[in-house]
Amino acid sequence: MELELKKAGADAYEAGGELVLTREETEETILPDYCPDMARVISSGGTVFVHSREARDGQAELRGSVQVNILYTPEGESGIRGMEFALPFTIECEGQELEGCQILDAEVETEYLEVRMLNPRKLFTHCKLIARVTGYRKRPLIYCADAETDESWRVEKRLENQKAVLLTQAAEREFTFSDNMALSPGRPGAMELLSTRVTPSVNETRMIGNKLIFKGIFTIAILYRAEDGECYSSTGELPFSQIMDVDHWTDARDMPDARGGDTRDARGNDAESAWVSVRVDLTGWDLRIDSADPDGHQISVTLYLYAMALLRQRRDLVLLTDLYSTKYHLRYESAPLEITRSYDCFTRRQTVRELLEIGVVVDSILALNITCGPVTPGREGDAVVLRTAASIQALYRDEGGAALTAERRVEVGCRLELPEDCAVTARAICPEEPRGSVGDRGIEVRFPVDFLLESVIISKETCVTAAELDTETPIDTANAPSLVLRGLESNETFWDLAKAYNSTVGDIQAANHLNNNLNNNNINNNLNSTDGGEIPRLLLIPRKRA
């Protein structure tokens, strides 16, 4: 007779495996008519914009562009000129990791970017991109929580309480941000924008009903040319706040940063352990000198953005992991159930100080730029070590007034004490404007690197999937002793003994005058006392009679 199992489930998303893809693009570009001829390329850089992400039938397609910026010395003129152009790209991929995925998380960055002059009016660009793509699909967690049995069958069931962290929501939204930024006071106004950098960061999240509110700051760095022909840099911060619709969530007071109130939701789950992570990516921008400001001190900022939100909650699960009958033969099938037992997200900051030794005398620093590459985790002994390569680019003037660039890549490491069974993913950013000073040996650069980490511990728990009871053939216990005296072995449990000797956990505890509130899962030779009294090294094990 097949037993009826009680199935339970929880709505959840599942992340597919990360795909790492590369793509190379080359292009020749003609300078617009309004740009003077080039004498020399000073520096180049690029910002990646992912315009669209599409997932269908196990395939993914990313479309975007690299906003390439160059600074150059004009032919027959002094000073610096800037130019921007878009290098479009399309990245396609497929794999089992993307089967059934509805949402794509894609991080694309430039691994290599070279811009060289072919002639005074033509440029050649070679760009290598690296993309990390993760798909998210809806996959409810289904498990067996109990089994329907009759008292006369004398079925013993092992029900284990587990705490699991579920990814309950993966949401996305595109939005536009517009504001004005004032240039640094005391400096002349802008006549031409030479280069721009925008770094978004999210520093606050809050759930109210099914609304996710996230706030952050856009850090904007601008290099511009003033009316006197000199170049100046300016940095500003613009705060932003956005609302995103998500599925049902616990009340805002149940979030980790909340104060007071009940800490359990309507289902009785521990809502104190809830996490919301939001990342904001640029999909485009439009920065220009505000035409309404004749002095050129106001910059009109329009940013096009994509927000990706992942919401996690801790849920209490009850799993049927084992069962047997003291009266009839019982057969069952089981399968491993993958559970995220622990999740944490946090930030670790490392401060970097690096000297760029330059073979000429530096007169002044015009601009500094820091770009962090992918993070590589590794384990050294009991610690996890994260490493990333930070690219430093310094634009400066020498004593003769010529604009030059110095570049260097430095390794930045972060050491963490984390459990061995912990898996770590991370990315690195430079969240603040770097600082530089001119010295006798070159340029000293100081900047912070934030490692944004996620750590998870995943375990596989055995869960019953099917069970069959043979009510036609009772267990023959006629020749078996009614009482067994048995020594304990390392890591044995009451359940192991009861199942092996056709007894029950309750009968063993009663026969040995032990409190039935004892922990039944970990009994070993070194365990001498609990709140239920001392556990003897030899136990009386009574057998059940049919």
Side-chain angles (χ1 to χ4, degrees):
M1 179 184 66
E2 186 174 349
L3 295 182
E4 182 179 347
L5 302 181
K6 294 181 180 179
K7 297 290 185 177
D11 294 335
Y13 279 75
E14 179 187 62
E18 182 183 79
L19 297 177
V20 180
L21 311 164
T22 58
R23 174 80 179 180
E24 293 193 43
E25 299 285 350
T26 59
E27 187 174 276
E28 293 183 357
T29 305
I30 304 295
L31 265 67
D33 293 338
Y34 61 82
C35 291
D37 288 355
M38 289 183 295
R40 175 176 61 90
V41 174
I42 301 170
S43 67
S44 61
T47 302
V48 179
F49 299 141
V50 180
H51 304 313
S52 65
R53 304 162 171 82
E54 294 185 10
R56 59 181 182 275
D57 301 329
Q59 297 180 330
E61 181 183 86
L62 308 176
R63 291 183 179 271
S65 63
V66 182
Q67 190 75 8
V68 181
N69 172 266
I70 66 164
L71 299 178
Y72 68 95
T73 301
E75 198 170 71
E77 298 182 23
S78 61
I80 301 174
R81 296 291 187 272
M83 175 188 168
E84 286 188 342
F85 59 91
L87 182 66
F89 66 84
T90 300
I91 299 176
E92 297 178 332
C93 60
E94 61 180 338
Q96 293 182 347
E97 299 90 342
L98 301 176
E99 288 289 342
C101 292
Q102 300 93 13
I103 296 177
L104 287 183
D105 182 18
E107 292 187 80
V108 186
E109 58 190 7
T110 56
E111 186 177 48
Y112 171 82
L113 178 65
E114 178 195 26
V115 181
R116 67 176 185 265
M117 189 176 70
L118 297 178
N119 60 51
R121 303 299 303 175
K122 184 182 287 187
L123 293 166
F124 175 78
T125 304
H126 180 201
C127 180
K128 183 178 179 180
L129 298 169
I130 182 167
R132 294 172 178 81
V133 181
T134 303
Y136 291 92
R137 53 181 166 258
K138 289 184 177 180
R139 177 158 292 181
L141 179 68
I142 306 298
Y143 58 93
C144 178
D146 204 346
E148 291 283 358
T149 59
D150 189 273
E151 188 176 348
S152 62
W153 299 340
R154 298 182 187 172
V155 174
E156 297 294 312
K157 297 175 287 187
R158 185 172 190 174
L159 302 176
E160 292 191 2
N161 295 318
Q162 299 285 349
K163 288 187 179 294
V165 178
L166 303 183
L167 177 60
T168 55
Q169 179 74 56
E172 56 186 349
R173 186 197 168 199
E174 294 182 346
F175 66 98
T176 302
F177 172 87
S178 296
D179 203 349
N180 279 352
M181 185 186 100
L183 296 178
S184 301
R187 295 188 178 182
M191 188 178 73
E192 177 191 359
L193 300 184
L194 299 176
S195 67
T196 56
R197 292 195 314 276
V198 180
T199 304
S201 60
V202 177
N203 51 34
E204 182 182 348
T205 59
R206 179 171 292 276
M207 290 296 309
I208 300 178
N210 63 343
K211 302 291 184 182
L212 167 61
I213 301 173
F214 58 96
K215 300 178 181 180
I217 292 174
F218 297 117
T219 302
I220 302 174
I222 296 175
L223 180 69
Y224 66 93
R225 184 166 60 89
E227 192 172 356
D228 60 6
E230 294 295 321
C231 293
Y232 301 89
S233 61
S234 181
T235 303
E237 293 183 344
L238 298 178
F240 71 90
S241 177
Q242 288 291 316
I243 299 176
M244 181 187 294
D245 290 327
V246 297
D247 290 344
H248 175 72
W249 190 259
T250 58
D251 189 80
R253 66 183 181 178
D254 293 332
M255 300 302 292
D257 59 349
R259 297 290 183 268
D262 186 11
T263 57
R264 301 186 73 82
D265 64 16
R267 300 179 183 179
N269 298 309
D270 183 2
E272 280 190 329
S273 300
W275 301 265
V276 181
S277 60
V278 179
R279 194 183 76 245
V280 174
D281 295 331
L282 290 159
T283 63
W285 65 35
D286 182 12
L287 283 81
R288 61 184 65 192
I289 303 168
D290 191 347
S291 58
D293 178 17
D295 297 328
H297 282 91
Q298 293 292 321
I299 306 299
S300 176
V301 178
T302 301
L303 306 177
Y304 304 96
L305 303 134
Y306 169 88
M308 175 80 175
L310 299 177
L311 290 72
R312 292 177 172 87
Q313 276 187 296
R314 191 183 301 280
R315 296 286 173 86
D316 294 330
L317 310 180
V318 178
L319 307 181
L320 177 62
T321 61
D322 198 359
L323 73 169
Y324 65 94
S325 172
T326 60
K327 185 176 182 181
Y328 300 108
H329 291 284
L330 188 150
R331 295 183 298 275
Y332 71 91
E333 296 178 3
S334 63
L337 182 69
E338 194 171 89
I339 294 177
T340 300
R341 301 180 62 89
S342 173
Y343 173 86
D344 199 5
C345 55
F346 50 95
T347 301
R348 290 291 183 270
R349 172 166 292 191
Q350 300 293 315
T351 301
V352 181
R353 187 173 180 175
E354 188 71 18
L355 177 65
L356 303 181
E357 294 185 346
I358 300 170
V360 299
V361 177
V362 178
D363 178 71
S364 60
I365 302 171
L366 297 177
L368 294 171
N369 183 36
I370 309 296
T371 304
C372 295
V375 176
T376 303
R379 184 164 285 278
E380 295 180 1
D382 296 333
V384 172
V385 178
L386 307 175
R387 292 184 175 90
T388 186
S391 299
I392 306 172
Q393 186 183 71
L395 176 67
Y396 65 95
R397 286 192 189 277
D398 66 7
E399 59 182 345
L404 301 170
T405 301
E407 296 181 285
R408 179 174 297 175
R409 289 169 65 89
V410 298
E411 184 180 274
V412 184
C414 178
R415 188 179 180 89
L416 301 163
E417 299 294 334
L418 293 172
E420 287 190 7
D421 55 351
C422 178
V424 176
T425 58
R427 61 190 183 98
I429 62 170
C430 177
E432 299 175 4
E433 189 68 11
R435 306 295 180 185
S437 59
V438 177
D440 295 337
R441 299 170 56 193
I443 299 174
E444 185 180 79
V445 183
R446 300 175 302 278
F447 59 94
V449 172
D450 281 354
F451 288 88
L452 312 177
L453 299 105
E454 291 188 346
S455 65
V456 298
I457 297 177
I458 298 176
S459 66
K460 290 186 178 181
E461 304 295 334
T462 301
C463 193
V464 173
T465 57
E468 186 175 343
L469 187 69
D470 185 4
T471 56
E472 302 297 326
T473 310
I475 297 175
D476 185 8
T477 58
N479 296 323
S482 60
L483 197 65
V484 174
L485 187 63
R486 167 82 148 66
L488 288 175
E489 295 183 4
S490 177
N491 296 323
E492 272 192 319
T493 68
F494 283 124
W495 178 270
D496 297 331
L497 296 177
K499 186 176 181 180
Y501 289 95
N502 203 53
S503 185
T504 69
V505 170
D507 287 348
I508 294 176
Q509 291 178 339
N512 293 274
H513 306 289
L514 296 174
N515 191 315
N516 58 10
N517 292 323
L518 273 174
N519 183 347
N520 297 326
N521 293 327
N522 293 308
I523 306 175
N524 55 54
N525 292 330
N526 297 321
L527 181 61
N528 293 320
S529 63
T530 67
D531 58 357
E534 184 175 314
I535 298 177
R537 293 184 179 275
L538 293 177
L539 291 173
L540 293 174
I541 305 174
R543 287 184 181 270
K544 284 284 186 180
R545 295 293 185 176

